[in-house]
Amino acid sequence: MSNTATDSSETTARHNEKMKRIKAARDKMMAGKTEEKGLIIVHTGTGKGKSSSGFGMIMRCIAWGMPCAVVQFIKGTWETGEKRLLQAHFAGECRFFVSGEGFTWETQDRDRDVAAARNGWEIAKQQILDPRIRFVLLDEINIALRYDYLDIDEVVDFLLTQKPPMTHVCLTGRNARPELIEAADLVTEMSLLKHPFRDGVKAQKGVEF
Amino acid sequence: MSNTATDSSETTARHNEKMKRIKAARDKMMAGKTEEKGLIIVHTGTGKGKSSSGFGMIMRCIAWGMPCAVVQFIKGTWETGEKRLLQAHFAGECRFFVSGEGFTWETQDRDRDVAAARNGWEIAKQQILDPRIRFVLLDEINIALRYDYLDIDEVVDFLLTQKPPMTHVCLTGRNARPELIEAADLVTEMSLLKHPFRDGVKAQKGVEF
């Protein structure tokens, strides 16, 4: 801030004027957005934040009194912080189901993986259809879809035709199928710009799990 | 799954073999990752998930008994789910500070925004320096840095030279400064592939806040 007083107050005046214009444009835009609907949400990409952002939304639902459910498709055997916290504190607000037995390279048994994924999908359908549940997180389901443990057409068809209109469903995992992206309302790709694993740093509590 | 039994068992055998190779490569890679360190984490980009993923990590920290702190730089006046939940249930585990008064186009007063941001940064430094605190989320600080409410060199210098080695700091918000990305250990860019605002859907509880 090495401006003279005059420069600085000019800058401030210009800034305030610009913000006024932005606010007017934004207010106008937001006034047209009146619809509420249950969304099909996809978090994909190779970056971090796909699951943690899903769990951040679960936290928001719990805060607003919206009953919710999590089905974990792949990370089943991991002891994650999110599982610990939800089971210990919010078992009434958020149902928590585990269908997978670890990432697929851990089991090395395709038939077992397919059975676990199908089991998870049956639970997922029940939760989505349950009229009390407002938000369902299908964590890492994209991995199960990518390896054809689950049929992509069946999943997309169910979401488009049987999901109650006000229920949100969030599907996470890298390599989301194009059919799912096409069907979704809100798709975010998390990309890795930098990762400390490259420098020999291991997965750490609080950050990765 | 229209394969004959033979095709299917061949597919399964090939798959299991491939997973075995992936697991061996992965075990070898992970064995080299032994270091634990406090990370400088950045969530940027125009997509969703920057803050919610930060709050997902806060949830993980709480679950593992790691005391943490949140400083919200911009969204101060919003009543968000994450604030409600943390203040109601985890005030002991996670300190929660608000420095901002809404997005900058709401206040239309640069001097007030600068004062709020500087106040937030003073709080942030105290929390980062506090040896009890293991993870600090600086939510939307990138907006304050982008508009020069805070000096980027001062922030980066503090993180690189004064952050305790085992403390994680996560900085969120679009348009992260290149200097911050350069200094960070873990950087994720959230990109928007699809957003329902385009179709007249408004920001909804549980999803956006």
Side-chain angles (χ1 to χ4, degrees), chain B residues 53-162:
Chain B
S53 170
F55 282 101
M57 288 194 282
I58 287 286
M59 200 168 159
R60 290 173 175 164
C61 290
I62 293 171
W64 293 117
M66 297 162 61
C68 46
V70 176
V71 184
Q72 281 201 309
F73 277 82
I74 303 286
K75 291 181 194 159
T77 54
W78 291 17
E79 176 65 352
T80 60
E82 48 270 31
K83 185 161 85 175
R84 277 173 80 104
L85 190 87
L86 290 172
Q87 291 183 331
H89 294 273
F90 302 110
E93 293 87 342
C94 181
R95 303 176 188 164
F96 200 102
F97 303 93
V98 164
S99 84
E101 307 183 64
F103 277 105
T104 184
W105 51 77
E106 293 293 335
T107 64
Q108 301 173 34
D109 181 338
R110 188 173 200 279
D111 293 338
R112 211 165 73 183
D113 285 344
V114 170
R118 293 235 40 109
N119 173 250
W121 176 237
E122 292 305 314
I123 297 168
K125 284 192 286 186
Q126 286 165 19
Q127 297 307 311
I128 293 168
L129 291 174
D130 187 329
R132 286 163 300 188
I133 298 290
R134 304 275 306 278
F135 188 109
V136 180
L137 174 61
L138 305 181
D139 194 35
E140 302 289 1
I141 192 174
N142 287 338
I143 312 261
L145 289 165
R146 181 198 182 186
Y147 284 115
D148 285 320
Y149 297 169
L150 296 177
D151 183 60
I152 181 66
D153 294 332
E154 183 191 333
V155 170
V156 166
D157 183 66
F158 178 87
L159 292 173
L160 291 178
T161 63
Q162 297 197 54

Side-chain angles (χ1 to χ4, degrees), chain A residues 48-57 60 190 206-207, chain B residues 41 43 48-60 135 137 170 172 188 190:
Chain A
K48 265 188 61 61
K50 299 183 290 293
S51 294
S52 53
S53 170
F55 282 101
M57 288 194 282
R60 290 173 176 164
M190 280 73 170
V207 179
Chain B
I41 301 167
H43 295 172
K48 265 188 60 62
K50 299 182 290 292
S51 294
S52 53
S53 170
F55 282 101
M57 288 194 282
I58 287 286
M59 200 168 159
R60 290 173 175 164
F135 188 109
L137 174 61
C170 178
T172 80
T188 307
M190 279 72 171

Side-chain angles (χ1 to χ4, degrees), chain A:
Chain A
M1 309 269 180
S2 57
N3 292 333
T4 65
T6 317
D7 282 354
S8 169
S9 71
E10 273 178 24
T11 306
T12 296
R14 246 196 336 265
H15 174 91
N16 294 355
E17 199 45 53
K18 182 179 163 197
M19 289 301 137
K20 208 175 230 168
R21 285 199 306 276
I22 291 179
K23 179 168 163 55
R26 198 180 152 79
D27 285 350
K28 192 176 165 194
M29 181 187 82
M30 296 310 284
K33 300 187 189 321
T34 51
E35 196 192 344
E36 295 209 336
K37 65 177 258 194
L39 302 174
I40 301 173
I41 301 167
V42 175
H43 295 172
T44 193
T46 53
K48 265 188 61 61
K50 299 183 290 293
S51 294
S52 53
S53 170
F55 282 101
M57 288 194 282
I58 286 285
M59 200 167 157
R60 290 173 176 164
C61 290
I62 292 171
W64 293 117
M66 297 162 61
C68 47
V70 176
V71 185
Q72 282 201 308
F73 277 83
I74 303 287
K75 290 179 193 161
T77 54
W78 291 18
E79 177 65 352
T80 60
E82 48 271 30
K83 185 161 86 174
R84 276 173 80 105
L85 190 86
L86 290 172
Q87 290 183 332
H89 294 273
F90 302 110
E93 293 87 343
C94 181
R95 302 176 188 163
F96 200 101
F97 303 93
V98 165
S99 85
E101 306 183 64
F103 277 106
T104 183
W105 52 77
E106 293 292 336
T107 64
Q108 301 171 35
D109 181 337
R110 187 173 202 279
D111 293 336
R112 211 166 75 184
D113 285 343
V114 170
R118 294 237 38 111
N119 173 249
W121 176 238
E122 292 305 315
I123 297 168
K125 285 192 286 186
Q126 285 166 20
Q127 298 307 311
I128 294 168
L129 291 175
D130 187 328
R132 286 163 299 188
I133 298 290
R134 304 275 305 278
F135 188 108
V136 181
L137 174 60
L138 305 181
D139 193 36
E140 301 289 3
I141 191 174
N142 288 338
I143 312 261
L145 288 165
R146 180 198 183 186
Y147 285 116
D148 285 320
Y149 297 169
L150 297 176
D151 184 60
I152 181 65
D153 294 331
E154 184 191 332
V155 170
V156 166
D157 182 66
F158 179 86
L159 292 172
L160 290 177
T161 64
Q162 297 197 54
K163 181 183 80 58
M166 294 309 294
T167 302
H168 304 294
V169 179
C170 178
L171 306 95
T172 80
R174 54 176 71 188
N175 299 108
R177 291 280 197 153
E179 298 93 324
L180 179 63
I181 290 174
E182 173 64 30
D185 302 291
L186 172 52
V187 181
T188 307
E189 180 166 25
M190 280 73 170
S191 319
L192 202 66
L193 296 190
K194 248 187 183 181
H195 202 293
F197 283 3
R198 280 186 226 160
D199 305 321
V201 176
K202 67 180 182 181
Q204 295 177 93
K205 278 184 183 170
V207 179
E208 272 92 7
F209 60 95

